[in-house]
Amino acid sequence: MSKRFTSLVTASVLVAGAALAGCGQQRDAGVYTVMNSSTDESYHRWDAEAMARCGERLGVTIEQQSVPAAQVMTKALRMASSKSLPDIVQFDASEMPTFAEAGGLVDLGTLGLSTDGIPDGIVDFGSYKGTYYGAARSVNTLALFYDKDVLDEAGVRVPTTWAQLRETAKQLTRGGRYGVALSAGGAEDGVFQFMPFMWSNGGDETDLDGPKVVEALDYWKGLLSDGSLSKSTVNWTQADVNDQFMAGNAAMMINGPWQVETLNSDESLHWGIAPIPVPRAGDDSVGPLGGAVLTVPNTGDEARERTAGKIVACLSSEEEQLTYALNSWMVPANARAAAAWRERVPELDSLAGQVAVARSRTAQLGAGWSSVSLALQSAFQSALTGQSSESALKRAQQRATSGN
């Protein structure tokens, strides 16, 4: 039995038990709880302020319960087992399908939430098998960040194609400074960073050993063999990549808008942002959509679920999306809010353009994405430390198919 199937069976039993038995505890009728991963002080404060505003509008008290991102799913499953689920759970969008497949979430459409004004890709981001379970307030994707001073000094332009990126990275590699930094670590960070290279090249998550995926991983190997990419990339998270860039150890990096606040803390660093280079001129730079979605767990208490739906609608309204996005540097999910955001932060305009064509990692595979992610993580470690991309990805496809 595959690990994914085992975990899904466990999730189904726990979640179904909670739904059938009701919420299982006495709750204050005027107090609603949102569980999220906003453990960072700034994010926790921004969320608390938004919840206070929505609570005042709706005449309820909204309490925030923040846990580390890696613990949201496991804690939600434990709470389902003890019939103590919160009224709203903010899942990472890549994890939401597992809870939805187990029958643990309420269709937001039945609670009055509309997808009008939300791009199709972002609707898919919060959906499972065509049902809208998760409302995104903001989304993110990856882009190419670069040190303006370093590029200007070298007299090179911002690269737009793979060939240009490889050549520019070679030129910018000097002494202890690498031309480019990215995360290829054995975690979701690395997989997230590989998606723009795989998808922009025509690769597909259902065919991991296909020639387009092999070619994308070979491109990473080429950067490594050139000396333009640190061998430590197999151990780096996206936060590590940002640290290397800010320390002057990399002239360019692949990263996301969640790093902007930290980047701006160094006034001597003059950075720019551009779409991730593509295999050939004219190709679309297709990145992964990242972020979280607000969901309403299926507790069996329909009255509370309806109010929870109103809270989700308020937190994901155009006004609240814009406020949250301006604080966090993410891109609003709503198209009108995103247009207003672009006017306010024109320096991130290219990021909004990337979001417009970005894809959800779980759109094709749903809860099966986790098996593919784990298989790719292992493939990066093998290919970037000596094994051929073809062999590493052939094994990855076998692992993804078997779940082992």
Side-chain angles (χ1 to χ4, degrees):
M1 183 180 289
S2 74
K3 293 178 181 177
R4 177 192 162 260
F5 185 73
T6 303
S7 63
L8 183 56
V9 168
T10 302
S12 298
V13 170
L14 293 175
V15 173
L20 290 173
C23 47
Q25 65 173 359
Q26 281 299 115
R27 302 188 186 218
D28 187 324
V31 179
Y32 288 76
T33 303
V34 179
M35 185 168 74
N36 60 25
S37 59
S38 300
T39 53
D40 178 85
E41 187 278 328
S42 295
Y43 283 86
H44 192 84
R45 172 167 43 83
W46 298 331
D47 277 334
E49 291 168 354
M51 290 174 196
R53 289 190 294 269
C54 286
E56 185 175 355
R57 290 172 200 161
L58 297 172
V60 297
T61 298
I62 306 173
E63 296 181 345
Q64 180 177 197
Q65 180 181 6
S66 298
V67 299
Q71 297 177 21
V72 172
M73 175 61 77
T74 53
K75 187 170 181 64
L77 290 174
R78 286 199 303 271
M79 295 175 83
S81 177
S82 62
K83 304 179 182 62
S84 59
L85 279 164
D87 298 287
I88 296 165
V89 178
Q90 181 172 286
F91 284 112
D92 183 276
S94 66
E95 292 184 330
M96 179 273 292
T98 298
F99 218 77
E101 187 167 15
L105 300 176
V106 178
D107 177 354
L108 294 182
T110 66
L111 300 179
L113 276 81
S114 170
T115 58
D116 290 346
I118 305 174
D120 290 344
I122 299 178
V123 174
D124 290 343
F125 183 68
S127 299
Y128 177 65
K129 292 187 176 179
T131 300
Y132 185 53
Y133 290 111
R137 289 182 293 170
S138 65
V139 291
N140 60 66
T141 191
L142 295 165
L144 178 73
F145 289 76
Y146 57 92
D147 188 318
K148 292 181 178 180
D149 294 337
V150 171
L151 268 67
D152 287 346
E153 183 181 342
V156 297
R157 295 182 178 179
V158 179
T160 60
T161 65
W162 281 9
Q164 291 173 4
L165 176 60
R166 189 166 181 179
E167 182 58 34
T168 301
K170 282 184 186 178
Q171 293 182 48
L172 298 178
T173 299
R174 293 286 184 276
R177 184 187 70 206
Y178 291 94
V180 64
L182 55 81
S183 167
E188 188 68 22
D189 276 12
V191 178
F192 196 71
Q193 295 228 328
F194 185 62
M195 292 299 100
F197 295 88
M198 183 179 92
W199 283 338
S200 298
N201 198 43
D204 190 274
E205 53 267 44
T206 63
D207 186 21
L208 297 183
D209 55 352
K212 297 297 185 180
V213 186
V214 172
E215 190 176 22
L217 188 50
D218 273 341
Y219 181 77
W220 272 16
K221 284 172 69 75
L223 293 172
L224 194 64
S225 65
D226 289 344
S228 303
L229 187 67
S230 170
K231 292 180 180 179
S232 296
T233 189
V234 294
N235 300 315
W236 284 348
T237 65
Q238 293 178 123
D240 295 329
V241 169
N242 192 61
D243 289 343
Q244 294 296 320
F245 180 72
M246 292 189 69
N249 297 330
M252 300 178 288
M253 70 169 176
I254 306 297
N255 228 312
W258 52 88
Q259 308 291 7
V260 170
E261 186 175 18
T262 304
L263 290 171
N264 285 343
S265 68
D266 184 351
E267 295 182 0
S268 67
L269 177 62
H270 305 128
W271 58 273
I273 187 172
I276 294 175
V278 292
R280 295 156 295 275
D283 289 346
D284 285 330
S285 183
V286 184
L289 277 173
V293 291
L294 294 165
T295 69
V296 176
N298 178 11
T299 62
D301 188 332
E302 294 183 3
R304 288 190 71 91
E305 289 169 3
R306 285 193 296 272
T307 301
K310 293 177 181 178
I311 294 171
V312 170
C314 180
L315 291 173
S316 60
S317 64
E318 285 183 45
E319 179 184 354
E320 289 297 341
Q321 281 192 26
L322 182 57
T323 299
Y324 185 78
L326 289 171
N327 281 332
S328 65
W329 301 95
M330 306 297 181
V331 183
N334 179 279
R336 288 185 294 272
W341 178 86
R342 292 174 93 147
E343 292 182 2
R344 299 278 290 274
V345 283
E347 66 271 26
L348 296 183
D349 184 71
S350 61
L351 188 69
Q354 289 248 221
V355 164
V357 295
R359 289 171 50 184
S360 165
R361 287 162 287 169
T362 59
Q364 285 200 80
L365 300 176
W369 168 258
S370 59
S371 293
V372 166
S373 177
L374 289 170
L376 279 173
Q377 291 167 32
S378 179
F380 300 154
Q381 300 293 298
S382 298
L384 296 178
T385 55
Q387 191 175 4
S388 73
S389 297
E390 187 174 7
S391 297
L393 288 168
K394 183 176 181 179
R395 173 59 180 150
Q397 182 59 49
Q398 293 170 344
R399 290 188 64 186
T401 301
S402 68
N404 295 314

